[in-house]
């Protein structure tokens, strides 16, 4: 069983930076895909960044060059550094995990955290 707990987030002005972190428990997630998913009110869930099982990273186009996903295996954490934030980045950000083969879209992740709110004004 895998548990994901997000922290960080908050409110920031346009152009500012925030870092959200996810603490992951459960040995079974080793070798899985780990990602950050966001959902704004009235919109579909959107995959922001995914750390693939081979160590490669995939970003959605609109955050490339601004967001960086990183994993610390020693601390069992998955972080998302967000720079040059824009109002369009306002959303609830979720940490998610699952076998990579099970994922074709953001909503396919089977394990999600409770989410942390990011608000850019």
């Amino acid at each position: 069983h895998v548990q994901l707990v997000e922290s960080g987030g908050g409110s920031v002005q346009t152009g500012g930076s925030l870092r959200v972190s996810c603490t992951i428990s459960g040995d079974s997630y080793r070798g899985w895909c780990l990602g950050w998913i966001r959902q704004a009110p009235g919109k579909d869930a959107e995959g922001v960044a995914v750390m693939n099982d081979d160590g490669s990273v995939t970003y959605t186009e609109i955050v490339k060059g601004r967001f960086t996903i990183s994993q610390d295996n020693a601390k069992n954490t998955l972080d998302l550094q967000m720079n040059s934030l824009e109002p369009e980045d306002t959303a609830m950000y979720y940490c998610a995990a699952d076998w990579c083969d099970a994922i074709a879209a953001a909503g396919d992740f089977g394990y999600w955290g409770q989410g942390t709110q990011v608000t850019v004004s």
Side-chain angles (χ1 to χ4, degrees):
H1 186 64
V2 175
Q3 291 185 320
L4 307 145
V5 179
E6 299 95 338
S7 60
S11 298
V12 67
Q13 293 185 337
T14 298
S17 298
L18 281 174
R19 188 178 188 91
V20 290
S21 185
C22 175
T23 300
I24 309 168
S25 60
D27 293 337
S28 60
Y29 80 92
R30 303 292 182 183
W32 286 13
C33 277
L34 304 174
W36 284 96
I37 314 298
R38 68 185 181 187
Q39 188 164 24
K43 295 187 178 181
D44 292 335
E46 175 185 33
V48 175
V50 176
M51 182 78 74
N52 300 302
D53 56 356
D54 62 359
S56 63
V57 177
T58 303
Y59 295 99
T60 191
E61 189 66 31
I62 58 175
V63 307
K64 285 182 180 178
R66 299 189 297 123
F67 290 13
T68 303
I69 189 172
S70 60
Q71 183 180 2
D72 188 327
N73 287 324
K75 296 181 179 179
N76 293 325
T77 57
L78 183 76
D79 291 351
L80 185 68
Q81 177 66 41
M82 302 178 287
N83 299 327
S84 301
L85 283 161
E86 303 166 354
E88 294 72 22
D89 296 315
T90 295
M92 186 72 79
Y93 282 71
Y94 298 90
C95 177
D98 210 330
W99 286 105
C100 295
D101 289 347
I103 302 164
D108 292 340
F109 280 92
Y111 296 88
W112 295 63
Q114 82 286 352
T116 185
Q117 179 68 38
V118 171
T119 303
V120 186
S121 60

